[in-house]
Amino acid sequence: MTPVLNVHSSILGQPWRWRGLAADARDPGFAPDDLVTQLLLTRGCAREELEAHRAPSIRAFMPDPSIFRDMDKAAERLADAVQRGEAVTIFGDYDVDGATSAALLIRLLRDLGLAPRAYIPDRLMEGYGPSGEALVRLKREGADLIVTVDCGAMAFDALAEAREAGAEVIVVDHHKCASELPVALALVNPNRLDEEEGRNHGHLAAVGVAWLLGAALVRVLRMRGFFANRPEPKLLDLLDIVALGTVADVAALKGLNRAFVAQGLKVMAQRRNIGMNALIEASRLTRAPTATDLGFALGPRINAGGRVGKSDLGVRLLTTEDADEARGIAEELNRLNEERRAIEAEVQQSAEAMDAEGAVAVVAARGWHPGVIGIVAGRLKEKLGRPAIVIAIGEDGIGKGSGRSIAGVDLGAAILAAKEAGLLIAGGGHAMAAGVTVAEARVADFAAFLEVRLAETVQRAAGERALLLDAVLAPGGVNPDLVNAMEAGGPYGMGWPSPRVAAGPVRIIKCDVVGNGHVRAIVAGEDGRSIKCVAFRSADTPLGLALLGAPRDRRLWIAGRAKIDDWGARPAAEIHIEDAAWAD
């Protein structure tokens, strides 16, 4: 296959290839609508489904909730709780997916007349997932029914202890399951190994599964005549919460998830949720949020509560009806997010200084804050181009780790295998992200296990690495109209990547370092047009060094994401550079 622009090895050492069929915008016959069609087709959309994907709707993508195992059983039991006025506790994980899943069910059950309680475990004191002690305590405190969200699929001991104490527990999760399942009243998870049609929706975040449970619950209550004298809750009004959890959990934006996010962003723009509105304002967004904002502005602030603050702040924010309380919580989350950034920078610097050889970079140390290890693992993965696991060792010699993977490498399955091999105290996750609990003395053995299991897969994935492009443009073609046209192919995220373009050839007119190691440049093309560019966190990378040291008379091709820069008096387009190649 001939590389795009004949780039066999870029500045970052990778070939440039088309993402399937792609459009060369230098062609005189090019039109923005043609590009949108190509964007959809090259992301796996069948030609006959083009219109459905241009405007993803819930109606077009939603499955019958009953296809999932235990869904009807869970819905029937929740319907009983609603009609009996029972005490229900929602037990959620402390990340964004857990917070949004809990908030969604709490808001729905409130609309149905209950007063549900939220319980979010403390990351540092209780760790991930339900503990038997917590479930039994909730039962003793009066919970008639407990629903775990975004956790519980591997909580064998905790759920067995809860069953012995007489607690009824419904598990709503999306993490990978073992062949044996823990005891529960119902376990709803598209990633159960015994799922049939439901496994086609294994890419859903937990909040998406929770929304489907909500739909099943409302259907059961409708069939029982519950809404004869009261209005049905509007499930579509909760899609802003679903969109936030889906994007922040890096769930693949295909199928139903695309509809969740596309429609959820419309709901979010209406600012109906008081807490969500306060979060948007705290994030200093003056326009309607985009999918990118969910992942990089709103999500991290919700996460900050669970990482370095109070774990229940996110749920409280998304469920409050008090505007003053919402503003106060949003401001607190904003402050905690700044604190999280400082802690993250310190841990990242320490992790990057370690010798992390092997197919999977496994780094561990005492003194690291466990609340930022997932973020640092993601940064390490991006820098090294291979899976990374960052482990914070506690004073008791027990490590809490978080891992992030690369395309083509199922880290979650490898973690489950390591647990079954007796190397981990606990572990689980999905293909792209996973968590572990491991004794300090077993970290080296765990790393060796991953090396044997994943070395060939990682090598194959690395060998297939290439920068995939959707269009090649003259510099003058990088304009707001093009960016807006490309947005019609969204929403973009994991599994539905945002468009990447190459522009050039260009000469660098001005280049410097700004902020936290970002390289900013102004480049000019042979068409006389100039473009603003930025390469984030790249000042000490081969890409950043090449841009900073490029001679004025040497031409380059630049590749990255075309974005709208709306800081000036009039919106302009800019390129967020991800790679570059010498043109001569």
Side-chain angles (χ1 to χ4, degrees):
M1 181 185 298
T2 302
V4 178
L5 301 172
N6 207 33
V7 176
H8 292 267
S9 182
S10 67
I11 288 172
L12 292 181
Q14 58 190 336
W16 290 3
R17 304 195 188 283
W18 289 123
R19 194 190 308 275
L21 298 173
D24 189 333
R26 297 172 300 171
D27 188 318
F30 168 80
D33 284 345
D34 297 329
L35 179 56
V36 174
T37 298
Q38 293 295 333
L39 293 175
L40 296 174
L41 292 173
T42 56
R43 281 152 182 78
C45 176
R47 191 169 290 277
E48 61 271 18
E49 297 176 351
L50 281 171
E51 292 310 308
H53 280 78
R54 284 181 186 275
S57 68
I58 301 298
R59 181 184 297 274
F61 289 97
M62 183 172 171
D64 181 346
S66 294
I67 67 171
F68 298 96
R69 290 190 178 275
D70 282 2
M71 180 69 84
D72 290 341
K73 186 188 299 185
E76 293 281 353
R77 180 62 186 89
L78 271 172
D80 291 342
V82 169
Q83 292 188 297
R84 297 169 186 165
E86 293 182 342
V88 177
T89 295
I90 309 299
F91 188 114
D93 186 27
Y94 38 66
D95 70 358
V96 184
D97 194 16
T100 52
S101 300
L104 183 147
L105 289 181
I106 287 170
R107 294 184 72 93
L108 175 58
L109 292 174
R110 279 183 187 169
D111 284 347
L112 294 170
L114 295 187
R117 173 187 175 186
Y119 185 90
I120 310 295
D122 182 274
R123 177 189 290 264
L124 298 180
M125 301 301 295
E126 300 178 74
Y128 168 77
S131 66
E133 178 184 357
L135 295 176
V136 171
R137 185 172 67 252
L138 291 173
K139 170 63 177 176
R140 289 173 179 167
E141 291 174 356
D144 297 309
L145 178 65
I146 302 169
V147 183
T148 72
V149 288
D150 195 32
C151 58
M154 297 293 290
F156 292 92
D157 294 341
L159 290 171
E161 190 174 340
R163 170 68 66 87
E164 291 177 5
E168 289 189 277
V169 182
I170 294 172
V171 174
V172 179
D173 205 350
H174 71 130
H175 293 99
K176 286 186 177 294
C177 295
S179 54
E180 181 183 355
L181 297 174
V183 294
L185 179 69
L187 196 157
V188 185
N189 185 337
N191 287 306
R192 285 175 54 152
L193 296 183
D194 58 352
E195 275 291 352
E196 296 175 356
E197 188 178 350
R199 71 177 56 190
N200 295 326
H201 302 276
H203 59 285
L204 292 176
V207 69
V209 182
W211 191 88
L212 289 173
L213 174 58
L217 168 60
V218 170
R219 182 172 62 182
V220 170
L221 290 172
R222 185 187 306 125
M223 293 173 63
R224 294 184 183 184
F226 183 75
F227 301 114
N229 298 305
R230 62 184 297 159
E232 287 193 16
K234 297 179 180 179
L235 282 169
L236 295 180
D237 287 352
L238 298 174
L239 288 177
D240 56 345
I241 296 176
V242 181
L244 176 57
T246 298
V247 173
D249 206 52
V250 202
L253 295 192
K254 60 182 182 179
L256 182 58
N257 279 348
R258 281 180 48 70
F260 278 152
V261 175
Q263 299 304 319
L265 287 171
K266 294 178 182 178
V267 175
M268 195 175 295
Q270 298 169 7
R271 306 288 186 99
R272 295 177 183 175
N273 185 308
I274 291 172
M276 190 78 76
N277 184 49
L279 183 65
I280 292 169
E281 291 181 348
S283 302
R284 296 179 177 82
L285 291 175
T286 57
R287 48 168 173 72
T290 65
T292 299
D293 296 324
L294 304 189
F296 291 95
L298 306 187
R301 286 170 169 79
I302 294 289
N303 255 337
R307 294 185 187 281
V308 296
K310 297 178 181 177
S311 58
D312 66 346
L313 285 177
V315 175
R316 287 172 51 198
L317 176 67
L318 295 175
T319 56
T320 185
E321 298 297 337
D322 185 313
D324 290 335
E325 180 185 25
R327 280 191 294 272
I329 296 174
E331 290 171 3
E332 175 69 1
L333 287 172
N334 205 44
R335 184 190 66 77
L336 290 171
N337 193 48
E338 293 300 320
E339 181 180 332
R340 185 268 306 168
R341 286 177 177 173
I343 296 171
E344 172 197 329
E346 182 178 345
V347 175
Q348 182 177 341
Q349 183 178 12
S350 177
E352 289 181 351
M354 291 187 170
D355 184 13
E357 298 296 332
V360 180
V362 179
V363 294
R366 293 191 174 227
W368 286 350
H369 195 298
V372 301
I373 54 177
I375 302 172
V376 174
R379 301 272 193 232
L380 202 57
K381 175 209 66 170
E382 291 297 331
K383 183 172 184 177
L384 299 176
R386 49 196 168 94
I389 298 177
V390 179
I391 303 171
I393 307 294
E395 295 181 359
D396 58 357
I398 301 299
K400 301 289 186 180
S402 188
R404 298 293 183 269
S405 194
I406 60 175
V409 180
D410 190 338
L411 187 59
I415 296 298
L416 284 181
K419 183 176 183 299
E420 292 174 357
L423 296 171
L424 303 176
I425 298 169
H430 44 82
M432 300 301 291
V436 301
T437 302
V438 57
E440 183 175 18
R442 302 306 301 272
V443 170
D445 295 335
F446 172 51
F449 176 89
L450 293 178
E451 179 69 22
V452 171
R453 183 180 177 90
L454 294 178
E456 184 177 338
T457 305
V458 172
Q459 183 178 14
R460 183 168 58 249
E464 296 171 353
R465 185 171 76 103
L467 192 78
L468 301 181
L469 295 168
D470 293 285
V472 174
L473 306 160
V478 183
N479 56 55
D481 288 341
L482 178 92
V483 176
N484 291 331
M486 290 193 300
E487 283 301 311
Y492 298 107
M494 176 60 65
W496 199 270
S498 60
R500 185 184 287 119
V501 303
V506 299
R507 290 183 175 84
I508 293 181
I509 305 302
K510 179 181 179 181
C511 192
D512 57 3
V513 178
V514 297
N516 187 25
H518 310 313
V519 175
R520 177 181 60 184
I522 296 176
V523 302
E526 295 177 342
D527 59 356
R529 302 291 296 274
S530 62
I531 318 171
K532 291 172 58 179
C533 306
V534 60
F536 293 104
R537 294 185 298 274
S538 65
D540 60 349
T541 69
L543 174 61
L545 295 173
L547 295 172
L548 290 165
R552 291 290 184 92
D553 60 348
R554 193 168 186 191
R555 303 183 306 163
L556 302 104
W557 292 101
I558 57 175
R561 318 285 181 173
K563 300 291 184 180
I564 296 291
D565 173 18
D566 50 11
W567 282 100
R570 191 171 60 178
E574 64 181 16
I575 291 183
H576 295 176
I577 301 178
E578 296 174 287
D579 199 0
W582 301 112
D584 46 32

